[in-house]
Coordinates of all heavy atoms in Angstrom, one line a residue:
M1 N 94.9 -87.0 -5.8 CA 93.8 -87.4 -6.6 C 92.7 -87.8 -5.7 O 91.5 -87.5 -6.0 CB 94.3 -88.6 -7.5 CG 93.3 -88.9 -8.6 SD 93.4 -87.6 -9.9 CE 93.1 -88.5 -11.3
T2 N 93.0 -88.5 -4.6 CA 91.9 -89.0 -3.7 C 91.2 -87.8 -3.1 O 90.0 -87.8 -2.9 CB 92.5 -89.9 -2.6 OG1 93.3 -90.9 -3.2 CG2 91.5 -90.5 -1.8
S3 N 91.9 -86.7 -2.7 CA 91.3 -85.6 -2.1 C 90.3 -84.9 -3.1 O 89.3 -84.4 -2.7 CB 92.3 -84.6 -1.6 OG 93.0 -84.0 -2.7
Y4 N 90.6 -84.9 -4.4 CA 89.7 -84.4 -5.4 C 88.4 -85.1 -5.4 O 87.3 -84.5 -5.4 CB 90.4 -84.4 -6.8 CG 89.5 -84.0 -7.9 CD1 89.2 -82.7 -8.1 CD2 88.8 -85.0 -8.7 CE1 88.3 -82.3 -9.1 CE2 88.0 -84.6 -9.7 CZ 87.7 -83.3 -9.9 OH 86.9 -82.9 -10.9
F5 N 88.5 -86.4 -5.4 CA 87.3 -87.2 -5.4 C 86.5 -87.1 -4.1 O 85.2 -87.0 -4.1 CB 87.6 -88.7 -5.6 CG 88.0 -89.0 -7.0 CD1 89.3 -89.5 -7.3 CD2 87.1 -88.8 -8.1 CE1 89.7 -89.7 -8.6 CE2 87.5 -89.0 -9.4 CZ 88.8 -89.5 -9.6
Q6 N 87.2 -86.9 -2.9 CA 86.5 -86.7 -1.7 C 85.8 -85.3 -1.7 O 84.6 -85.2 -1.2 CB 87.5 -86.7 -0.5 CG 88.0 -88.1 -0.2 CD 89.1 -88.1 0.8 OE1 89.7 -87.1 1.1 NE2 89.3 -89.3 1.4
Q7 N 86.4 -84.3 -2.3 CA 85.8 -83.0 -2.4 C 84.6 -83.0 -3.3 O 83.5 -82.5 -3.0 CB 86.8 -82.0 -2.9 CG 87.8 -81.6 -1.9 CD 88.9 -80.6 -2.5 OE1 88.9 -80.5 -3.7 NE2 89.7 -80.0 -1.7
A8 N 84.7 -83.7 -4.4 CA 83.6 -83.9 -5.4 C 82.4 -84.6 -4.7 O 81.3 -84.2 -4.9 CB 84.1 -84.6 -6.6
L9 N 82.7 -85.7 -4.0 CA 81.7 -86.4 -3.3 C 81.0 -85.6 -2.2 O 79.8 -85.6 -2.1 CB 82.3 -87.7 -2.7 CG 81.3 -88.6 -1.9 CD1 80.2 -89.1 -2.8 CD2 82.0 -89.7 -1.2
S10 N 81.8 -84.8 -1.5 CA 81.1 -84.0 -0.4 C 80.3 -82.9 -1.0 O 79.2 -82.6 -0.5 CB 82.2 -83.4 0.5 OG 83.0 -82.5 -0.2
S11 N 80.7 -82.3 -2.2 CA 79.9 -81.3 -2.8 C 78.7 -81.9 -3.4 O 77.6 -81.3 -3.4 CB 80.7 -80.5 -3.8 OG 80.6 -81.0 -5.1
F12 N 78.8 -83.1 -3.9 CA 77.6 -83.8 -4.5 C 76.6 -84.0 -3.4 O 75.4 -83.8 -3.5 CB 78.1 -85.1 -5.1 CG 77.0 -85.9 -5.7 CD1 76.4 -85.6 -6.9 CD2 76.5 -87.0 -5.0 CE1 75.4 -86.4 -7.4 CE2 75.4 -87.8 -5.5 CZ 74.9 -87.5 -6.7
Q13 N 77.1 -84.5 -2.2 CA 76.2 -84.8 -1.1 C 75.5 -83.5 -0.6 O 74.3 -83.4 -0.2 CB 76.9 -85.5 0.0 CG 77.3 -86.9 -0.3 CD 78.2 -87.5 0.7 OE1 78.9 -86.8 1.5 NE2 78.3 -88.8 0.7
E14 N 76.3 -82.4 -0.5 CA 75.7 -81.1 -0.1 C 74.7 -80.6 -1.0 O 73.6 -80.1 -0.6 CB 76.8 -80.1 0.0 CG 77.8 -80.3 1.2 CD 79.0 -79.3 1.1 OE1 79.0 -78.4 0.2 OE2 79.8 -79.4 2.0
T15 N 74.9 -80.8 -2.3 CA 73.9 -80.4 -3.3 C 72.6 -81.1 -3.1 O 71.5 -80.5 -3.1 CB 74.4 -80.7 -4.7 OG1 75.6 -80.0 -4.9 CG2 73.4 -80.2 -5.7
F16 N 72.6 -82.4 -2.9 CA 71.4 -83.1 -2.7 C 70.8 -82.9 -1.3 O 69.5 -83.0 -1.2 CB 71.6 -84.6 -2.9 CG 71.6 -85.0 -4.4 CD1 72.8 -85.1 -5.1 CD2 70.4 -85.1 -5.1 CE1 72.8 -85.4 -6.4 CE2 70.5 -85.4 -6.4 CZ 71.7 -85.5 -7.1
E17 N 71.5 -82.6 -0.3 CA 71.0 -82.2 1.0 C 70.3 -80.9 0.9 O 69.3 -80.6 1.5 CB 72.0 -82.2 2.0 CG 72.5 -83.6 2.4 CD 71.4 -84.5 2.9 OE1 70.6 -84.1 3.7 OE2 71.4 -85.7 2.5
L18 N 70.8 -79.9 0.1 CA 70.2 -78.6 0.0 C 68.8 -78.7 -0.8 O 68.0 -77.9 -0.5 CB 71.1 -77.7 -0.8 CG 72.4 -77.2 0.0 CD1 73.3 -76.4 -0.9 CD2 72.0 -76.5 1.2
K19 N 68.7 -79.6 -1.6 CA 67.4 -79.7 -2.4 C 66.3 -80.2 -1.5 O 65.2 -79.7 -1.6 CB 67.6 -80.7 -3.5 CG 68.3 -80.2 -4.7 CD 68.2 -81.2 -5.8 CE 68.9 -80.7 -7.1 NZ 68.9 -81.7 -8.1
G20 N 66.6 -81.0 -0.6 CA 65.6 -81.5 0.3 C 64.7 -82.6 -0.3 O 64.9 -83.0 -1.5
E21 N 63.6 -82.9 0.4 CA 62.7 -84.0 -0.1 C 62.0 -83.5 -1.3 O 61.8 -84.3 -2.3 CB 61.8 -84.4 1.0 CG 60.8 -85.4 0.6 CD 59.8 -85.7 1.7 OE1 59.9 -85.1 2.8 OE2 58.9 -86.5 1.4
V22 N 61.5 -82.3 -1.3 CA 60.7 -81.8 -2.4 C 61.6 -81.7 -3.7 O 61.1 -82.0 -4.8 CB 60.0 -80.5 -2.1 CG1 59.3 -79.9 -3.3 CG2 59.0 -80.7 -1.0
G23 N 62.8 -81.2 -3.5 CA 63.7 -81.1 -4.6 C 64.0 -82.5 -5.3 O 64.0 -82.6 -6.5
R24 N 64.1 -83.5 -4.5 CA 64.3 -84.8 -5.0 C 63.0 -85.3 -5.7 O 63.1 -86.0 -6.8 CB 64.7 -85.8 -3.9 CG 66.2 -85.6 -3.5 CD 66.6 -86.7 -2.6 NE 66.1 -86.5 -1.2 CZ 66.6 -85.8 -0.3 NH1 67.7 -85.1 -0.5 NH2 66.0 -85.7 0.9
M25 N 61.9 -84.9 -5.2 CA 60.6 -85.3 -5.8 C 60.5 -84.6 -7.2 O 60.0 -85.2 -8.1 CB 59.4 -84.9 -4.9 CG 59.3 -85.8 -3.7 SD 58.1 -85.2 -2.5 CE 56.6 -85.6 -3.4
V26 N 60.9 -83.3 -7.3 CA 60.8 -82.6 -8.5 C 61.8 -83.3 -9.5 O 61.4 -83.4 -10.7 CB 61.2 -81.1 -8.3 CG1 61.3 -80.4 -9.7 CG2 60.1 -80.4 -7.5
D27 N 63.0 -83.6 -9.1 CA 63.9 -84.3 -10.0 C 63.3 -85.6 -10.5 O 63.4 -86.0 -11.7 CB 65.2 -84.6 -9.3 CG 66.1 -83.4 -9.2 OD1 65.9 -82.5 -10.0 OD2 67.0 -83.5 -8.4
E28 N 62.6 -86.3 -9.6 CA 61.9 -87.6 -10.0 C 60.8 -87.3 -11.0 O 60.6 -88.1 -11.9 CB 61.4 -88.3 -8.7 CG 60.7 -89.6 -9.0 CD 60.2 -90.2 -7.7 OE1 60.9 -90.1 -6.7 OE2 59.1 -90.8 -7.7
A29 N 60.0 -86.3 -10.7 CA 58.8 -86.0 -11.6 C 59.2 -85.4 -12.9 O 58.4 -85.5 -13.9 CB 57.9 -85.0 -10.9
T30 N 60.5 -85.0 -13.1 CA 60.9 -84.4 -14.3 C 62.1 -85.2 -14.9 O 62.9 -84.6 -15.7 CB 61.3 -82.9 -14.2 OG1 62.4 -82.8 -13.2 CG2 60.1 -82.1 -13.8
A31 N 62.2 -86.4 -14.6 CA 63.3 -87.3 -15.0 C 63.3 -87.5 -16.6 O 62.2 -87.5 -17.2 CB 63.3 -88.6 -14.3
E32 N 64.4 -87.6 -17.2 CA 64.5 -87.8 -18.6 C 63.9 -89.1 -19.1 O 63.4 -89.1 -20.2 CB 66.0 -87.8 -19.1 CG 66.5 -86.4 -19.4 CD 67.9 -86.4 -20.0 OE1 68.9 -86.5 -19.2 OE2 68.0 -86.4 -21.2
D33 N 63.9 -90.1 -18.3 CA 63.4 -91.4 -18.7 C 61.9 -91.5 -18.6 O 61.4 -92.6 -19.1 CB 64.1 -92.5 -18.0 CG 63.9 -92.4 -16.5 OD1 63.5 -91.4 -16.0 OD2 64.2 -93.4 -15.8
L34 N 61.2 -90.5 -18.1 CA 59.7 -90.6 -18.1 C 59.1 -90.3 -19.5 O 59.6 -89.5 -20.2 CB 59.2 -89.6 -17.1 CG 59.4 -89.8 -15.6 CD1 58.8 -88.6 -14.8 CD2 58.7 -91.1 -15.2
M35 N 58.1 -91.1 -19.8 CA 57.5 -90.9 -21.1 C 56.3 -89.9 -20.9 O 56.1 -89.1 -21.8 CB 56.9 -92.2 -21.6 CG 58.0 -93.2 -22.0 SD 59.0 -92.4 -23.2 CE 59.4 -93.8 -24.2
V36 N 55.6 -89.9 -19.8 CA 54.5 -89.0 -19.5 C 54.7 -88.5 -18.0 O 55.5 -89.1 -17.3 CB 53.1 -89.6 -19.6 CG1 52.9 -90.0 -21.1 CG2 53.0 -90.9 -18.8
A37 N 54.0 -87.5 -17.7 CA 54.2 -86.9 -16.3 C 53.6 -87.9 -15.3 O 52.6 -88.6 -15.5 CB 53.4 -85.6 -16.2
D38 N 54.3 -88.0 -14.2 CA 53.9 -88.9 -13.1 C 52.9 -88.1 -12.2 O 53.3 -87.2 -11.4 CB 55.1 -89.3 -12.3 CG 54.8 -90.2 -11.2 OD1 53.7 -90.7 -11.1 OD2 55.7 -90.6 -10.4
V39 N 51.6 -88.4 -12.4 CA 50.6 -87.7 -11.8 C 50.6 -87.8 -10.3 O 50.4 -86.8 -9.6 CB 49.2 -88.2 -12.3 CG1 48.0 -87.5 -11.6 CG2 49.1 -88.1 -13.8
N40 N 50.9 -88.9 -9.7 CA 51.0 -89.1 -8.3 C 52.1 -88.2 -7.7 O 51.9 -87.6 -6.6 CB 51.1 -90.6 -7.9 CG 49.9 -91.4 -8.3 OD1 48.8 -90.9 -8.3 ND2 50.2 -92.6 -8.7
T41 N 53.3 -88.2 -8.3 CA 54.4 -87.4 -7.7 C 54.0 -85.9 -7.9 O 54.3 -85.2 -6.9 CB 55.7 -87.7 -8.5 OG1 55.9 -89.1 -8.4 CG2 56.8 -87.0 -7.9
N42 N 53.4 -85.5 -9.0 CA 53.1 -84.1 -9.2 C 52.0 -83.7 -8.1 O 52.1 -82.6 -7.6 CB 52.5 -83.9 -10.6 CG 53.6 -83.9 -11.6 OD1 54.7 -84.1 -11.3 ND2 53.2 -83.8 -12.9
R43 N 51.1 -84.6 -7.8 CA 50.1 -84.2 -6.8 C 50.7 -84.1 -5.4 O 50.3 -83.3 -4.6 CB 49.0 -85.3 -6.8 CG 48.0 -85.1 -8.0 CD 46.9 -86.1 -7.9 NE 46.1 -86.0 -9.1 CZ 45.3 -86.9 -9.6 NH1 45.2 -88.1 -8.9 NH2 44.6 -86.7 -10.7
A44 N 51.7 -85.0 -5.1 CA 52.3 -85.0 -3.8 C 53.1 -83.7 -3.7 O 53.1 -83.0 -2.6 CB 53.3 -86.2 -3.7
I45 N 53.8 -83.2 -4.8 CA 54.5 -82.0 -4.8 C 53.6 -80.8 -4.5 O 53.8 -79.9 -3.8 CB 55.3 -81.8 -6.1 CG1 56.4 -82.9 -6.1 CG2 55.9 -80.4 -6.2 CD1 57.1 -83.0 -7.5
C46 N 52.4 -80.8 -5.2 CA 51.4 -79.8 -5.1 C 50.9 -79.7 -3.6 O 50.7 -78.6 -3.1 CB 50.3 -80.0 -6.0 SG 50.7 -79.7 -7.7
R47 N 50.7 -80.9 -3.0 CA 50.2 -80.9 -1.6 C 51.3 -80.3 -0.7 O 50.9 -79.5 0.2 CB 49.9 -82.3 -1.2 CG 48.5 -82.7 -1.5 CD 48.1 -84.1 -0.9 NE 48.0 -85.0 -2.1 CZ 48.8 -86.0 -2.3 NH1 49.7 -86.4 -1.4 NH2 48.6 -86.7 -3.3
K48 N 52.5 -80.6 -0.9 CA 53.6 -80.1 -0.1 C 53.7 -78.6 -0.3 O 54.0 -77.8 0.6 CB 54.9 -80.7 -0.4 CG 55.0 -82.1 0.2 CD 56.4 -82.7 0.2 CE 56.4 -84.0 0.8 NZ 56.4 -84.0 2.2
C49 N 53.6 -78.1 -1.5 CA 53.6 -76.7 -1.8 C 52.5 -75.9 -1.2 O 52.6 -74.8 -0.7 CB 53.6 -76.4 -3.3 SG 55.2 -76.8 -4.1
A50 N 51.3 -76.5 -1.1 CA 50.1 -75.9 -0.5 C 50.3 -75.9 1.0 O 49.8 -74.9 1.6 CB 48.9 -76.7 -0.9
D51 N 50.9 -76.9 1.6 CA 51.1 -76.9 3.0 C 52.1 -76.0 3.6 O 51.9 -75.3 4.6 CB 51.3 -78.3 3.5 CG 50.2 -79.3 3.2 OD1 49.0 -78.8 3.1 OD2 50.4 -80.5 3.2
M52 N 53.3 -76.0 2.9 CA 54.4 -75.2 3.5 C 55.0 -74.3 2.4 O 55.4 -74.8 1.3 CB 55.5 -76.1 4.0 CG 55.0 -76.9 5.2 SD 56.3 -78.0 5.9 CE 56.5 -79.2 4.6
S53 N 55.1 -73.0 2.6 CA 55.6 -72.1 1.6 C 57.1 -72.3 1.4 O 57.7 -72.1 0.3 CB 55.3 -70.7 2.0 OG 56.0 -70.3 3.2
T54 N 57.9 -72.8 2.4 CA 59.3 -73.0 2.3 C 59.6 -74.1 1.3 O 60.5 -74.1 0.5 CB 60.0 -73.3 3.6 OG1 59.3 -74.4 4.2 CG2 59.9 -72.1 4.6
E55 N 58.7 -75.2 1.4 CA 58.9 -76.3 0.4 C 58.5 -75.8 -1.0 O 59.2 -76.3 -1.9 CB 57.9 -77.4 0.8 CG 58.3 -78.1 2.2 CD 59.6 -78.8 2.1 OE1 59.9 -79.4 1.1 OE2 60.2 -78.9 3.2
C56 N 57.6 -74.9 -1.1 CA 57.2 -74.4 -2.4 C 58.4 -73.6 -3.0 O 58.7 -73.8 -4.2 CB 56.0 -73.5 -2.3 SG 55.4 -73.0 -3.9
G57 N 59.1 -72.9 -2.2 CA 60.2 -72.1 -2.7 C 61.3 -73.0 -3.2 O 61.9 -72.8 -4.3
S58 N 61.6 -74.1 -2.5 CA 62.7 -75.0 -2.9 C 62.2 -75.8 -4.1 O 63.1 -76.0 -5.0 CB 63.1 -76.0 -1.8 OG 62.0 -76.8 -1.4
A59 N 61.0 -76.1 -4.2 CA 60.5 -76.8 -5.4 C 60.6 -75.9 -6.7 O 61.0 -76.3 -7.7 CB 59.0 -77.2 -5.2
L60 N 60.3 -74.6 -6.5 CA 60.3 -73.7 -7.6 C 61.8 -73.5 -8.1 O 62.1 -73.3 -9.2 CB 59.7 -72.4 -7.3 CG 58.2 -72.4 -7.1 CD1 57.6 -71.1 -6.6 CD2 57.5 -72.9 -8.3
R61 N 62.7 -73.5 -7.1 CA 64.1 -73.3 -7.5 C 64.6 -74.5 -8.3 O 65.3 -74.3 -9.3 CB 65.0 -73.2 -6.3 CG 65.0 -71.8 -5.7 CD 66.1 -71.6 -4.6 NE 65.8 -72.4 -3.4 CZ 64.9 -72.0 -2.5 NH1 64.3 -70.8 -2.6 NH2 64.7 -72.7 -1.4
V62 N 64.2 -75.7 -7.9 CA 64.6 -76.9 -8.7 C 63.9 -76.9 -10.1 O 64.5 -77.3 -11.1 CB 64.3 -78.2 -7.9 CG1 64.6 -79.4 -8.7 CG2 65.1 -78.2 -6.6
I63 N 62.6 -76.5 -10.1 CA 61.9 -76.4 -11.4 C 62.6 -75.4 -12.3 O 62.7 -75.7 -13.5 CB 60.4 -76.0 -11.2 CG1 59.7 -77.2 -10.5 CG2 59.8 -75.6 -12.5 CD1 58.3 -76.8 -10.1
R64 N 63.1 -74.3 -11.8 CA 63.8 -73.3 -12.6 C 65.0 -74.0 -13.2 O 65.3 -73.8 -14.4 CB 64.2 -72.1 -11.8 CG 65.0 -71.1 -12.7 CD 65.4 -69.9 -11.9 NE 66.5 -70.3 -11.0 CZ 67.0 -69.5 -10.1 NH1 66.5 -68.4 -9.9 NH2 68.0 -70.0 -9.3
S65 N 65.8 -74.8 -12.4 CA 67.0 -75.4 -13.0 C 66.5 -76.5 -14.0 O 67.3 -76.7 -15.0 CB 67.8 -76.1 -11.9 OG 67.1 -77.2 -11.3
R66 N 65.4 -77.1 -13.8 CA 64.9 -78.1 -14.8 C 64.4 -77.5 -16.1 O 64.5 -78.1 -17.1 CB 63.8 -79.0 -14.2 CG 64.2 -79.8 -12.9 CD 65.4 -80.7 -13.2 NE 65.0 -81.9 -13.7 CZ 65.8 -82.9 -14.1 NH1 67.1 -82.8 -13.9 NH2 65.4 -84.0 -14.6
L67 N 64.0 -76.2 -16.0 CA 63.6 -75.5 -17.2 C 64.7 -75.1 -18.1 O 64.6 -74.9 -19.2 CB 62.8 -74.2 -16.8 CG 61.4 -74.4 -16.3 CD1 60.8 -73.1 -15.7 CD2 60.5 -75.0 -17.3
Q68 N 65.9 -75.1 -17.5 CA 67.2 -74.8 -18.2 C 67.9 -76.1 -18.7 O 69.0 -76.0 -19.2 CB 68.1 -73.9 -17.4 CG 67.5 -72.6 -17.0 CD 68.2 -71.8 -16.0 OE1 69.2 -72.4 -15.4 NE2 67.9 -70.6 -15.8
H69 N 67.3 -77.2 -18.5 CA 67.9 -78.5 -18.9 C 68.0 -78.6 -20.4 O 67.2 -77.9 -21.1 CB 67.0 -79.6 -18.4 CG 67.7 -80.9 -18.4 ND1 67.7 -81.8 -19.4 CD2 68.4 -81.6 -17.4 CE1 68.4 -82.9 -19.1 NE2 68.8 -82.8 -17.9
R70 N 68.9 -79.3 -20.9 CA 69.2 -79.4 -22.4 C 68.1 -80.3 -23.1 O 67.9 -80.1 -24.3 CB 70.5 -80.0 -22.6 CG 70.7 -81.5 -22.3 CD 72.0 -82.1 -22.6 NE 72.1 -83.5 -22.4 CZ 72.2 -84.1 -21.2 NH1 72.3 -83.4 -20.1 NH2 72.2 -85.4 -21.1
S71 N 67.4 -81.1 -22.3 CA 66.4 -82.0 -22.9 C 65.0 -81.3 -23.0 O 64.5 -80.9 -21.9 CB 66.3 -83.3 -22.1 OG 65.2 -84.0 -22.6
P72 N 64.4 -81.2 -24.1 CA 63.1 -80.6 -24.2 C 62.0 -81.4 -23.4 O 61.1 -80.8 -22.9 CB 62.8 -80.6 -25.7 CG 63.9 -81.2 -26.4 CD 64.9 -81.6 -25.4
K73 N 62.2 -82.7 -23.3 CA 61.3 -83.5 -22.5 C 61.3 -83.1 -21.1 O 60.2 -83.0 -20.5 CB 61.7 -85.0 -22.7 CG 60.7 -85.9 -22.0 CD 61.1 -87.4 -21.9 CE 61.4 -87.9 -23.3 NZ 61.8 -89.4 -23.2
V74 N 62.5 -82.9 -20.5 CA 62.6 -82.5 -19.1 C 62.0 -81.1 -18.9 O 61.2 -80.8 -18.0 CB 64.0 -82.5 -18.7 CG1 64.2 -81.8 -17.3 CG2 64.6 -83.9 -18.7
Q75 N 62.2 -80.2 -19.9 CA 61.6 -78.9 -19.9 C 60.1 -78.9 -19.9 O 59.4 -78.2 -19.1 CB 62.1 -78.0 -21.0 CG 63.6 -77.7 -20.9 CD 64.1 -77.0 -22.2 OE1 63.4 -76.9 -23.2 NE2 65.4 -76.6 -22.1
L76 N 59.5 -79.8 -20.7 CA 58.1 -79.9 -20.8 C 57.5 -80.5 -19.5 O 56.5 -80.0 -19.0 CB 57.7 -80.8 -22.0 CG 56.2 -81.0 -22.2 CD1 55.5 -79.7 -22.6 CD2 56.0 -82.0 -23.4
L77 N 58.2 -81.5 -19.0 CA 57.7 -82.0 -17.7 C 57.7 -81.0 -16.6 O 56.8 -80.9 -15.7 CB 58.5 -83.3 -17.3 CG 58.3 -84.5 -18.2 CD1 59.3 -85.6 -17.9 CD2 56.9 -85.0 -18.0
A78 N 58.8 -80.1 -16.6 CA 58.9 -79.1 -15.6 C 57.8 -78.0 -15.8 O 57.2 -77.6 -14.8 CB 60.3 -78.4 -15.7
L79 N 57.5 -77.7 -17.0 CA 56.4 -76.8 -17.3 C 55.0 -77.3 -16.8 O 54.2 -76.6 -16.3 CB 56.3 -76.4 -18.7 CG 57.3 -75.4 -19.2 CD1 57.3 -75.2 -20.7 CD2 57.1 -74.0 -18.5
Q80 N 54.8 -78.6 -17.1 CA 53.6 -79.3 -16.7 C 53.5 -79.3 -15.1 O 52.4 -79.0 -14.6 CB 53.5 -80.7 -17.2 CG 53.3 -80.8 -18.7 CD 53.4 -82.2 -19.2 OE1 53.9 -83.1 -18.6 NE2 52.8 -82.4 -20.4
L81 N 54.6 -79.5 -14.5 CA 54.5 -79.5 -13.0 C 54.3 -78.1 -12.5 O 53.5 -77.9 -11.6 CB 55.9 -80.1 -12.5 CG 56.1 -80.0 -10.9 CD1 55.0 -80.8 -10.2 CD2 57.4 -80.6 -10.6
L82 N 54.9 -77.1 -13.1 CA 54.7 -75.7 -12.7 C 53.3 -75.3 -12.9 O 52.7 -74.7 -12.0 CB 55.6 -74.8 -13.4 CG 55.5 -73.3 -13.1 CD1 55.9 -73.1 -11.7 CD2 56.5 -72.5 -14.0
S83 N 52.7 -75.7 -14.0 CA 51.3 -75.4 -14.3 C 50.4 -76.1 -13.2 O 49.4 -75.4 -12.7 CB 50.9 -75.9 -15.6 OG 49.5 -75.8 -15.9
E84 N 50.7 -77.3 -12.8 CA 49.9 -78.0 -11.8 C 50.0 -77.3 -10.5 O 49.0 -77.2 -9.7 CB 50.3 -79.4 -11.8 CG 49.2 -80.3 -11.0 CD 49.4 -81.8 -11.3 OE1 50.1 -82.1 -12.3 OE2 48.9 -82.5 -10.5
I85 N 51.2 -76.9 -10.1 CA 51.4 -76.2 -8.8 C 50.6 -74.9 -8.8 O 49.9 -74.6 -7.8 CB 52.9 -75.9 -8.6 CG1 53.7 -77.2 -8.3 CG2 53.1 -74.8 -7.5 CD1 55.2 -77.0 -8.2
V86 N 50.6 -74.1 -9.9 CA 49.9 -72.9 -10.0 C 48.4 -73.1 -9.9 O 47.6 -72.4 -9.2 CB 50.2 -72.1 -11.3 CG1 49.2 -70.9 -11.5 CG2 51.6 -71.6 -11.2
C87 N 47.9 -74.2 -10.5 CA 46.5 -74.5 -10.5 C 46.0 -75.0 -9.2 O 44.8 -74.7 -8.8 CB 46.1 -75.5 -11.6 SG 46.3 -74.8 -13.3
K88 N 46.8 -75.8 -8.5 CA 46.3 -76.6 -7.4 C 46.8 -76.1 -6.0 O 46.4 -76.6 -5.0 CB 46.6 -78.0 -7.5 CG 45.9 -78.7 -8.7 CD 46.2 -80.1 -8.7 CE 45.4 -80.7 -9.9 NZ 45.6 -82.1 -10.1
S89 N 47.7 -75.1 -6.0 CA 48.2 -74.6 -4.8 C 47.5 -73.3 -4.4 O 46.8 -72.6 -5.2 CB 49.7 -74.4 -4.8 OG 50.3 -75.6 -5.0
G90 N 47.8 -72.8 -3.2 CA 47.1 -71.6 -2.7 C 47.8 -70.3 -3.1 O 48.6 -70.3 -4.0
R91 N 47.4 -69.3 -2.4 CA 47.8 -67.9 -2.8 C 49.3 -67.8 -2.5 O 50.0 -67.0 -3.2 CB 47.1 -66.9 -2.0 CG 45.7 -66.7 -2.4 CD 45.0 -65.6 -1.7 NE 43.6 -65.5 -2.2 CZ 42.9 -64.5 -2.0 NH1 43.4 -63.4 -1.4 NH2 41.7 -64.4 -2.5
E92 N 49.9 -68.4 -1.5 CA 51.3 -68.3 -1.2 C 52.1 -68.8 -2.4 O 53.1 -68.3 -2.7 CB 51.6 -69.1 0.1 CG 51.1 -68.4 1.3 CD 51.4 -69.2 2.6 OE1 52.3 -70.1 2.5 OE2 50.8 -68.9 3.6
A93 N 51.7 -69.9 -3.0 CA 52.4 -70.5 -4.1 C 52.3 -69.5 -5.3 O 53.3 -69.3 -6.0 CB 51.9 -71.9 -4.5
H94 N 51.1 -68.9 -5.5 CA 50.9 -68.0 -6.6 C 51.9 -66.8 -6.4 O 52.5 -66.3 -7.3 CB 49.5 -67.5 -6.6 CG 48.6 -68.5 -7.2 ND1 47.9 -68.2 -8.4 CD2 48.2 -69.7 -6.8 CE1 47.1 -69.3 -8.7 NE2 47.3 -70.2 -7.7
A95 N 52.0 -66.3 -5.1 CA 52.8 -65.2 -4.8 C 54.3 -65.5 -5.1 O 55.0 -64.7 -5.7 CB 52.6 -64.8 -3.4
Q96 N 54.7 -66.7 -4.8 CA 56.1 -67.0 -5.0 C 56.4 -67.2 -6.5 O 57.5 -66.8 -6.9 CB 56.5 -68.3 -4.3 CG 56.6 -68.1 -2.8 CD 57.2 -69.3 -2.1 OE1 57.7 -70.3 -2.7 NE2 57.2 -69.3 -0.8
V97 N 55.5 -67.7 -7.2 CA 55.7 -67.8 -8.7 C 55.8 -66.5 -9.4 O 56.5 -66.2 -10.2 CB 54.6 -68.7 -9.3 CG1 54.6 -68.6 -10.8 CG2 54.7 -70.1 -8.9
S98 N 54.9 -65.6 -8.9 CA 54.8 -64.2 -9.5 C 55.8 -63.2 -9.0 O 55.9 -62.1 -9.6 CB 53.4 -63.7 -9.4 OG 53.1 -63.4 -8.0
E99 N 56.6 -63.5 -8.0 CA 57.6 -62.5 -7.5 C 58.6 -62.2 -8.5 O 59.1 -63.1 -9.2 CB 58.3 -63.1 -6.2 CG 57.4 -63.0 -5.0 CD 58.2 -63.6 -3.8 OE1 59.4 -64.0 -3.9 OE2 57.6 -63.6 -2.7
K100 N 59.0 -61.0 -8.5 CA 60.0 -60.5 -9.5 C 61.4 -61.1 -9.1 O 62.1 -61.5 -10.0 CB 60.1 -59.0 -9.5 CG 61.1 -58.5 -10.5 CD 61.1 -57.0 -10.6 CE 62.0 -56.5 -11.6 NZ 62.1 -55.0 -11.7
D101 N 61.7 -61.1 -7.8 CA 63.0 -61.7 -7.4 C 62.8 -63.0 -6.7 O 63.6 -63.4 -5.8 CB 63.6 -60.7 -6.4 CG 64.0 -59.4 -7.0 OD1 64.3 -59.4 -8.2 OD2 63.9 -58.3 -6.4
G102 N 61.8 -63.7 -7.1 CA 61.5 -65.0 -6.5 C 62.3 -66.2 -7.0 O 63.3 -66.0 -7.8
P103 N 62.0 -67.4 -6.7 CA 62.7 -68.6 -7.1 C 62.8 -68.8 -8.6 O 63.7 -69.4 -9.1 CB 62.0 -69.7 -6.4 CG 61.2 -69.1 -5.3 CD 60.9 -67.7 -5.7
L104 N 61.8 -68.3 -9.3 CA 61.8 -68.5 -10.8 C 62.5 -67.4 -11.6 O 62.7 -67.5 -12.8 CB 60.4 -68.6 -11.3 CG 59.7 -69.9 -10.9 CD1 58.2 -69.9 -11.4 CD2 60.4 -71.1 -11.5
S105 N 62.9 -66.4 -10.9 CA 63.6 -65.3 -11.7 C 65.1 -65.5 -11.8 O 65.7 -66.3 -11.2 CB 63.3 -64.0 -11.0 OG 63.8 -63.9 -9.7

C-alpha cells in the first residue's frame, strides 16, 4: 500500500514539474474558485508567451487541458486567456495557436 502512495506522489510531482512556471500560472488563472479573470496573471502569461515560444507552447498545452475541464467556468476562463494571448502576443504565438499539429490540436 505504501509503494502505491509513493508512486502516486512521484507521478503527481512529475506532472507539476512538467507544467513549469507558466503551466502553474495558467492553472491559477483558470481556477474554479475565480469569479472573474485575473487580469494581472493573464498579462504575465501573455508577456511570457511573447518572450519565449517554448513557454507559449507549454501554456497552450495546459490551456487545451483546461478547455476540456468539466466546469464551464474554467472553460470560459481558458478561452478568455487564449483570446488575450492571441491578441497581445507576437507572430510566434499566433503560429503555435494556428498549427494543425500544435499544442491546441
